[in-house]
């Protein structure tokens, strides 16, 4: 039986991360790509309407890599 557990690979209380995708390379590296933007206030009193790509100028696609099957992760970088 495989044991599964959750690992947080990125956390920033001022950023919103979404849509992660995982791939495993031929060499065994794990690569995770996800979308990242600045956290915006949402609600009837928001200073600006909620923006989605491509209208959000802070929206980025980022990539991180683990060379040890998820035990440690590189700092995410913009693609």
């Amino acid at each position: 039986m495989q044991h599964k557990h959750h690992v947080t690979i990125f956390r920033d209380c001022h950023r919103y991360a979404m849509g992660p995708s995982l791939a495993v390379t031929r060499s065994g590296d794990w690569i995770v790509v996800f979308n990242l933007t600045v956290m915006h206030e949402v609600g009837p009193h928001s200073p600006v309407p909620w923006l989605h790509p491509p209208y959000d100028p802070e929206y980025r696609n980022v990539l991180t890599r683990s060379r040890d099957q998820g035990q440690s992760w590189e700092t995410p970088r913009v693609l």
Side-chain angles (χ1 to χ4, degrees):
M1 176 192 317
Q2 286 186 337
H3 296 280
K4 298 178 183 179
H5 64 278
H6 294 273
V7 175
T8 300
I9 61 173
F10 178 83
R11 183 182 311 260
D12 182 332
C13 66
H14 302 290
R15 304 237 178 238
Y16 179 66
M18 62 204 134
S21 296
L22 171 71
V24 179
T25 67
R26 288 185 183 149
S27 64
D29 291 357
W30 292 7
I31 295 177
V32 172
V33 178
F34 58 96
N35 309 118
L36 186 65
T37 190
V38 173
M39 186 70 75
H40 297 283
E41 180 181 346
V42 178
H45 303 292
S46 297
V48 295
W50 188 257
L51 300 175
H52 289 278
Y55 304 106
D56 182 349
E58 296 297 322
Y59 184 87
R60 303 285 187 263
N61 295 305
V62 295
L63 176 143
T64 185
R65 177 187 308 260
S66 175
R67 299 181 191 276
D68 56 11
Q69 298 182 335
Q71 299 301 309
S72 63
W73 292 89
E74 295 175 355
T75 301
R77 58 185 169 94
V78 175
L79 293 177

